Amino acid sequence: FGICVVFAATQLLENILGDTYWNKLISYTFSFLATVYWIDFLSLGLLRRNKTVGRLYRPIFLFFNAISLGFIYRPFLQIISTNVNRWKAGLFLIILFFASSLSAYMSLRNIFHWPNIFDTRPFKATERGYSSDNYYLDRIHDDSRVIRACIQSDFIKDNYVRVFIPYRSEYAEYISKEGKQTFSEIVTVYLNDSPPINIKWLEYNRSNASQTGIIGYLPITNLSEGENEITIKIKGQTYRDESDDKLVIPFWKE
């Protein structure tokens, strides 16, 4: 659970800070210091044995020992390391660390949408596009956060498609680069093969999920029944394993 907390803190820091140079530097520094802490952990306090290094390392140790809940389990591990052969104790800690890291990864993978490193399927499911429950508001809980964008449903009887796009902190860099003033100005939406659609965006807050973004309404009265798709492009963003610069959401008009 302590490793879960550190993994989650690292991921949340990356999500909150975004993609600018200084934010990346802070995020990478945090990850590096976390790695230093785990090295000291696996080496049974190697960095704390040297007085000079120990003084410099102490603030790092105290911080990560707190957020990884080391104050709970470290006394028990110290009993093992002082009463068992050092090499055996070290091997035990390495096995414990990697087993805990694997458990933390499996626990957090779906939450943070990490790739499945154990997926042994080398081929795509289909040559066509991709769809997900996360694209449709009626498929997710009210208190669940929309990852990239969503519409109201995959089957639509309404005369309008409602598009919601969350405003993530990382978008600020691209708004600035493009010399724009608002998030909506770096968003482009297409309906099937149409030219870019001029949408009158509104700021929208999903209160149950504490999520802010923009919402727009696309008229679809002239669309034929059956399969259609909305394509969303956001400046600087890629999707589906960083291989595509657009997000395609299919829907069926009834």
Side-chain angles (χ1 to χ4, degrees):
F1 185 73
I3 293 177
C4 265
V5 173
V6 177
F7 280 8
T10 304
Q11 184 65 55
L12 288 172
L13 192 64
E14 292 178 1
N15 292 346
I16 293 170
L17 292 178
D19 206 25
T20 65
Y21 171 78
W22 289 108
N23 292 346
K24 278 186 175 180
L25 183 61
I26 294 171
S27 178
Y28 291 156
T29 301
F30 183 89
S31 299
F32 172 75
L33 294 178
T35 302
V36 170
Y37 171 79
W38 293 121
I39 291 174
D40 176 72
F41 174 81
L42 294 176
S43 63
L44 303 173
L46 178 65
L47 297 178
R48 285 171 289 141
R49 293 176 204 159
N50 183 289
K51 289 185 178 181
T52 303
V53 175
R55 289 195 192 97
L56 297 173
Y57 173 66
R58 182 170 174 75
I60 300 171
F61 168 78
L62 292 175
F63 175 75
F64 283 99
N65 191 56
I67 68 170
S68 68
L69 310 181
F71 58 91
I72 296 175
Y73 54 79
R74 189 172 289 276
F76 300 100
L77 296 180
Q78 288 175 339
I79 292 173
I80 294 173
S81 63
T82 54
N83 289 275
V84 179
N85 176 277
R86 183 168 293 275
W87 289 106
K88 291 181 180 179
L91 179 61
F92 169 76
L93 286 183
I94 291 173
I95 295 173
L96 177 65
F97 174 78
F98 282 104
S100 299
S101 297
L102 178 61
S103 176
Y105 165 78
M106 297 303 293
S107 300
L108 298 173
R109 187 177 68 83
N110 290 332
I111 297 174
F112 291 112
H113 303 279
W114 292 337
N116 184 0
I117 61 176
F118 301 107
D119 191 345
T120 58
R121 295 168 295 179
F123 301 105
K124 293 181 179 180
T126 174
E127 285 296 328
R128 295 194 62 204
Y130 169 82
S131 187
S132 167
D133 284 348
N134 292 322
Y135 291 170
Y136 309 107
L137 201 58
D138 62 349
R139 299 281 188 87
I140 62 176
H141 297 294
D142 289 342
D143 56 355
S144 296
R145 298 173 70 84
V146 174
I147 305 304
R148 290 290 190 174
C150 74
I151 61 177
Q152 66 263 47
S153 177
D154 54 344
F155 289 98
I156 296 181
K157 298 180 180 179
D158 309 319
N159 292 326
Y160 290 85
V161 174
R162 182 177 58 187
V163 182
F164 172 72
I165 307 175
Y167 181 9
R168 299 165 60 159
S169 60
E170 64 199 69
Y171 297 154
E173 176 188 4
Y174 301 99
I175 297 172
S176 177
K177 279 184 178 180
E178 295 293 318
K180 307 299 184 181
Q181 299 298 317
T182 63
F183 168 47
S184 62
E185 292 179 276
I186 65 167
V187 176
T188 308
V189 175
Y190 307 83
L191 186 58
N192 295 328
D193 297 324
S194 72
I197 299 174
N198 183 23
I199 301 176
K200 295 181 179 179
W201 294 103
L202 295 170
E203 183 174 340
Y204 186 80
N205 179 44
R206 296 184 63 239
S207 55
N208 288 342
S210 300
Q211 189 173 35
T212 298
I214 56 175
I215 194 168
Y217 300 86
L218 283 64
I220 58 171
T221 52
N222 294 328
L223 285 184
S224 58
E225 293 184 356
E227 184 178 0
N228 295 275
E229 61 183 29
I230 290 174
T231 301
I232 299 169
K233 289 188 176 183
I234 302 175
K235 287 286 186 181
Q237 298 303 302
T238 55
Y239 310 92
R240 291 290 291 160
D241 302 325
E242 313 301 323
S243 60
D244 203 346
D245 66 346
K246 60 183 179 295
L247 179 69
V248 179
I249 302 179
F251 69 93
W252 283 257
K253 182 183 176 184
E254 294 187 335

